[in-house]
Amino acid sequence: MATNTERIENLERGMSEMQGTLGEILAALRGFSTSSAQNESVAVVHEDNPSEEDYTEPEDGKSIRVRSLFNGTLNLTYGDRRFVTFNKYGDENRVLYRDLIQIVNMNHKFAEEGYFEIEDASAVYFLGMTYAYNNIIKYKDIENICSYSDDKVKTLIENASDYQKSLVANRVAHQIVDGKNVDYNKVNLINKLCSVDISKRAESIRSLA
């Protein structure tokens, strides 16, 4: 029969073993927590979406450059019966940021579908247009699209609005009419992507000249 001294020693031995097991469990939990934190940190580092820290909101009185991507006269309304006029495709105007906020709000469809281009990344971000601008084809890309690789042309056009697809086809037709050196293999690709017969559109432009 165990003596009191033996019982105490057995209890102490059991408690020591339990403390060791608890220590191992705590160490494992700490390791898991550290690993999770590191994984979260990596996810943040590799995040591609821009955040507010990447931009500074323009002051109300800052002049922002806006370019028309519309074939013809484009009037963008803002405020109380006021508007900014672009006389032709490619025209630029400078607009105060506070007025640009109203222009985007009052002409939201035109802003999202690429009837005009805001040439200021910070303004685009704070106007909530970043998602739309991931799909809008910019002026310089429209003008140079026939010189791009097939893959780049597909990337630019596939997610564009129907309006911009028609615009790209129209600009390529104008390049043909103007006698510019155009890669007709690229023209055929743009035909398919935009679902527009660019040759017929070029003929139509010539007939109106």
Side-chain angles (χ1 to χ4, degrees):
M1 189 172 182
T3 64
N4 287 338
T5 300
E6 289 173 338
R7 291 193 187 98
I8 292 170
E9 288 177 350
N10 288 336
L11 284 170
E12 288 177 343
R13 190 179 302 109
M15 289 176 67
S16 177
E17 290 174 353
M18 288 175 64
Q19 286 176 343
T21 302
L22 284 171
E24 291 174 359
I25 293 171
L26 288 171
L29 288 172
R30 289 192 190 98
F32 176 79
S33 177
T34 301
S35 175
S36 297
Q38 287 174 343
N39 289 337
E40 289 174 2
S41 175
V42 169
V44 171
V45 168
H46 288 90
E47 185 174 336
D48 293 328
N49 294 328
S51 64
E52 190 167 337
E53 289 75 19
D54 297 321
Y55 301 108
T56 301
E57 185 168 17
E59 295 180 359
D60 282 355
K62 182 180 178 181
S63 177
I64 307 294
R65 190 167 61 187
V66 179
R67 187 189 294 272
S68 173
L69 300 179
F70 181 72
N71 283 309
T73 301
L74 176 65
N75 292 315
L76 299 176
T77 57
Y78 70 100
D80 184 17
R81 298 181 181 178
R82 292 182 293 173
F83 53 86
V84 177
T85 298
F86 301 85
N87 293 316
K88 63 183 185 299
Y89 166 83
D91 273 3
E92 288 183 326
N93 274 320
R94 288 195 169 271
V95 180
L96 298 181
Y97 179 63
R98 60 172 170 265
D99 296 335
L100 185 58
I101 294 172
Q102 295 185 53
I103 287 172
V104 169
N105 287 336
M106 296 178 71
N107 305 270
H108 202 66
K109 179 182 177 182
F110 284 1
E112 284 196 329
E113 294 189 4
Y115 283 70
F116 62 92
E117 179 184 351
I118 301 166
E119 297 184 334
D120 185 296
S122 292
V124 168
Y125 178 81
F126 283 97
L127 288 166
M129 295 295 296
T130 300
Y131 178 78
Y133 268 62
N134 286 336
N135 297 320
I136 286 174
I137 309 175
K138 314 302 186 294
Y139 174 79
K140 68 177 182 63
D141 292 324
I142 294 170
E143 291 301 293
N144 295 292
I145 199 160
C146 284
S147 67
Y148 292 161
S149 68
D150 288 359
D151 286 342
K152 184 167 183 177
V153 171
K154 289 176 184 176
T155 299
L156 287 169
I157 293 178
E158 282 178 341
N159 295 318
S161 67
D162 289 341
Y163 165 72
Q164 281 217 313
K165 288 177 181 177
S166 178
L167 172 66
V168 168
N170 197 66
R171 296 314 304 170
V172 173
H174 272 283
Q175 290 178 11
I176 293 171
V177 172
D178 293 341
K180 293 186 178 179
N181 187 19
V182 175
D183 180 351
Y184 278 88
N185 289 323
K186 207 76 64 183
V187 172
N188 289 333
L189 173 62
I190 297 169
N191 265 332
K192 293 176 183 177
L193 293 170
C194 296
S195 300
V196 174
D197 190 326
I198 294 175
S199 296
K200 285 186 177 179
R201 188 162 291 192
E203 291 174 8
S204 177
I205 293 169
R206 285 194 187 99
S207 68
L208 295 172

